[in-house]
Amino acid sequence: MFNKVLIANRGEIAVRIIRACRELGMQTVAVYSEADRHALHVRYSDEAYLLGPAPSRESYLRADKIIEIAKRSHSGAIHPGYGFLAERADFAQACLDEGLGFIGPKPSSIAAMGDKAVARSTVAGSGVPVVPGTEGEGSLSDDDLLKVAPEIGFPLLIKATAGGGGKGMREVRSLEEMPALLNSARREAEASFGDGNVYLEKLLEGARHIEIQILADTQGNVIHLGERECSLQRRHQKLLEESPSPFVGDDQELRERMGSVAVRAAQAVDYINAGTIEFLVDKDKNFYFLEMNTRLQVEHPITEAVTNVDIVKEQIRIARGRQMRHTQEEIRLTGWAIECRVNAEDPYNNFLPSTGRIDHLILPTGPGVRVDTGVYPGFEISPYYDSLISKLIVRGETRGEAILRMRRALEEYKIVGVRTNIPFHQHLMDSHRFMAGQYDTRFVEERFSMEAPEDESETLPEIAAILATLVAHNEAQRAAQIIQRGERDVSNWKWVGRWERIHR
Ligand code: MV4
């Protein structure tokens, strides 16, 4: 039984895990790169060890060094967080081989779900619905794929078996264009994963992306914690998540069905610890298994907010061989939670990553607000890691209250020194489609613009357009976002005025 945990991660998630450990009375060991010497996770941990230079390859991906530090510091277990080594079966196995606990599933479960074709056929064998497509495991040649494609029917999707996150994915609308698309999909998959193997699925258009959080302990208990709506994303990067899903809403029967199918999918690979089953859900509420994420997810706090379950503490208890503290009957979703991912990127410039020092920072607080962050004033945002700087999570009794609370929290949030996507989230909170919960995975890319109100404004009087823009974006927030030291000498107000005249 361990009581010292090494956190093999950085940023907000490392801080989140350290907090859970401390509340459970456990010692914490941080690891960090040269870019993260002054990071919050280093300050919050009991001990911290340098891994190496800033690039992930030379620091947070150095499995050998991390295991060596775990042993040297007498840590009993490693929590991988998300990203980096979290879904590497070989790393989980190496931990176990060295007598270290891995706070996550068994290596065999990670491997089975890591190969998307194996995952499909494994869960399908347990009666989990999958999108019609190629069946079985093992590699398929172009000839094989071109032969079965017409049986599956067009449009279809080429997907990488080593994939996930949309890499190596291609839409195919006819047999004629398929050979070239197979080629480019294989090349991209080979470049990204070192594995050019692909499989086919019928393309589901206009579907929603809804995922189910599950927890499984070593005593054989598997429960689900309801769903998260994750359709608001751009180029496979999620931007906002909510729980419950407005699409599932009060259809408790659908929730229960998706939940029990998710539990079955987890059981199909002998799953232990926290995991997430992703589904595509069509207009008629048919749902299909997409993939399973065998890790703690970025958006776990919204599930915590509506279930009152501390998922990270449960992960640690489960890894210590303890029974889960909750039964399925005890889990009830109450209220509504929304998470906005605050990224250091410029929503007015194609979401270009923004780096630099955080000169000023005021975090929103107050009723129903949670901020998980790894940064503080004076911290330098480097280009080496993902651009997530914080997660703003709000909870309300109803979806309406949660949206109003999110607006209020976004107004309070001030970051000066780097650009952030806060104006994007503010714009989104004013979108009628978002308010109505009417969005699918194409919404941000196809129907949402930062430049103009979503419903064409030509017919509206000019004065209304100006007022709507001013109210929607909140002048003060806009001014704070725009400041870049030494770049111009006019006041923010003048600059905003010009900007708005240019962008009308
Ligand atoms: C799909 C799909 C439509 N039909 N599969 C994208 C990433 C990977 N996790 C699976 N993805 C999709 N698979 C079929 N058969 C549409 C997507 C998809 C998507 C899925 C979830 C969230 C956002 C998405 C954005 C574009 C496409």
Side-chain angles (χ1 to χ4, degrees):
M1 181 85 80
F2 58 87
N3 45 33
K4 191 172 193 178
V5 177
L6 182 147
I7 296 96
N9 216 301
R10 64 179 303 282
E12 64 85 19
I13 199 64
V15 170
R16 166 73 186 94
I17 297 162
I18 291 169
R19 286 178 170 145
C21 291
R22 292 199 84 89
E23 289 179 21
L24 289 171
M26 316 197 72
Q27 297 278 105
T28 54
V29 176
V31 289
Y32 61 97
S33 71
E34 278 166 14
D36 280 338
R37 283 180 185 280
H38 304 291
L40 216 49
H41 75 286
V42 173
R43 298 186 179 198
Y44 281 1
S45 61
D46 297 304
E47 295 167 49
Y49 296 84
L50 179 66
L51 282 169
S56 304
R57 301 237 140 265
E58 300 175 64
S59 51
Y60 298 103
L61 289 171
R62 285 292 301 268
D64 55 338
K65 275 200 179 175
I66 289 168
I67 288 174
E68 181 210 308
I69 292 166
K71 295 196 337 189
R72 183 144 50 96
S73 62
H74 305 288
S75 300
I78 295 182
H79 196 308
Y82 55 70
F84 299 124
L85 300 169
E87 289 176 283
R88 290 262 302 269
D90 54 350
F91 177 67
Q93 186 60 56
C95 291
L96 304 184
D97 291 346
E98 296 293 339
L100 294 161
F102 178 78
I103 304 178
K106 295 190 278 193
S108 58
S109 313
I110 300 176
M113 288 301 186
D115 182 311
K116 305 303 167 191
V118 172
R120 250 173 81 81
S121 68
T122 307
V123 303
S126 292
V128 172
V130 297
V131 187
T134 47
E135 277 161 39
E137 305 163 12
S139 54
L140 295 161
S141 69
D142 283 9
D143 280 350
D144 297 334
L145 295 170
L146 289 165
K147 207 175 296 160
V148 291
E151 294 164 30
I152 296 165
F154 296 96
L156 56 74
L157 271 179
I158 303 170
K159 293 187 177 189
T161 55
K167 278 243 178 68
M169 210 167 86
R170 294 289 183 283
E171 277 186 34
V172 190
R173 307 235 154 230
S174 71
L175 193 59
E176 292 71 58
E177 63 177 15
M178 196 164 146
L181 290 167
L182 275 172
N183 237 314
S184 73
R186 285 191 196 278
R187 237 181 301 117
E188 188 175 316
E190 181 69 48
S192 309
F193 314 111
D195 178 356
N197 203 22
V198 297
Y199 64 104
L200 305 177
E201 269 183 14
K202 189 150 183 63
L203 173 68
L204 288 186
E205 287 174 290
R208 288 180 170 246
H209 178 203
I210 299 177
E211 60 187 28
I212 304 276
Q213 175 72 52
I214 68 113
L215 278 175
D217 66 20
T218 52
Q219 280 84 43
N221 304 299
V222 189
I223 65 171
H224 72 85
L225 304 182
E227 81 279 4
R228 293 186 289 255
E229 170 66 63
C230 300
S231 298
L232 281 169
Q233 50 81 47
R234 182 181 170 276
R235 302 192 178 163
H236 303 295
Q237 293 297 317
K238 292 172 188 163
L239 289 163
L240 176 148
E241 303 94 348
E242 51 182 320
S243 182
S245 159
F247 185 74
V248 179
D250 50 19
D251 189 343
Q252 192 59 25
E253 196 266 337
L254 176 62
R255 177 170 297 114
E256 286 310 321
R257 260 192 310 127
M258 291 183 72
S260 58
V261 166
V263 165
R264 228 180 302 150
Q267 285 168 333
V269 294
D270 282 325
Y271 202 82
I272 289 163
N273 217 285
T276 300
I277 317 288
E278 293 185 8
F279 291 106
L280 276 179
V281 187
D282 71 17
K283 291 180 271 315
D284 304 319
K285 298 188 174 182
N286 300 304
F287 59 89
Y288 306 91
F289 171 89
L290 258 191
E291 49 194 76
M292 178 172 193
N293 301 316
T294 57
R295 59 162 193 275
L296 178 68
Q297 288 199 208
V298 175
E299 59 271 30
H300 75 277
I302 56 172
T303 297
E304 297 186 322
V306 294
T307 59
N308 259 320
V309 175
D310 186 317
I311 294 171
V312 181
K313 281 187 186 170
E314 285 307 306
Q315 283 195 291
I316 295 166
R317 289 197 184 94
I318 289 167
R320 297 177 104 208
R322 306 271 291 276
Q323 195 167 316
M324 267 189 285
R325 292 173 79 221
H326 313 272
T327 64
Q328 190 66 65
E329 293 66 46
E330 288 164 16
I331 303 297
R332 221 163 45 84
L333 306 195
T334 59
W336 206 284
I338 302 175
E339 169 179 281
C340 288
R341 297 192 184 191
V342 177
N343 295 333
E345 53 191 33
D346 184 355
Y348 295 106
N349 190 7
N350 206 24
F351 293 83
L352 191 78
S354 172
T355 58
R357 205 180 101 101
I358 296 187
D359 298 306
H360 297 282
L361 178 64
I362 301 174
L363 295 177
T365 56
V369 176
R370 166 177 172 181
V371 181
D372 279 19
T373 183
V375 307
Y376 56 88
F379 187 77
E380 185 93 20
I381 307 290
S382 76
Y384 296 103
Y385 315 109
D386 68 25
S387 62
L388 182 72
I389 53 180
S390 89
K391 304 186 301 203
L392 172 55
I393 304 116
V394 302
R395 185 191 179 284
E397 281 309 306
T398 61
R399 186 167 187 268
E401 188 182 42
I403 292 174
L404 291 171
R405 187 162 272 163
M406 183 59 85
R407 282 182 185 219
R408 184 269 288 174
L410 288 165
E411 282 167 15
E412 287 182 14
Y413 211 143
K414 308 289 179 203
I415 301 181
V416 179
V418 292
R419 314 238 172 158
T420 75
N421 63 352
I422 289 173
F424 166 87
H425 287 301
Q426 291 183 300
H427 199 71
L428 190 59
M429 289 301 124
D430 290 336
S431 149
H432 296 166
R433 285 193 156 265
F434 175 74
M435 282 184 216
Q438 287 168 3
Y439 57 84
D440 60 33
T441 56
R442 296 170 305 189
F443 178 66
V444 175
E445 277 153 287
E446 291 178 18
R447 317 194 56 141
F448 185 79
S449 162
M450 287 294 287
E451 267 91 54
E454 69 186 89
D455 308 308
E456 279 309 312
S457 61
E458 289 149 17
T459 55
L460 296 174
E462 188 162 320
I463 188 78
I466 292 166
L467 270 174
T469 311
L470 283 174
V471 172
H473 297 300
N474 186 304
E475 312 87 323
Q477 182 65 49
R478 172 69 67 82
Q481 295 292 324
I482 285 161
I483 291 173
Q484 272 262 321
R485 282 185 307 168
E487 236 183 45
R488 68 202 150 75
D489 53 8
V490 291
S491 84
N492 286 329
W493 296 112
K494 279 189 197 159
W495 199 92
V496 170
R498 280 182 205 165
W499 190 93
E500 297 201 338
R501 263 174 279 136
I502 293 164
H503 288 82
R504 252 206 309 258

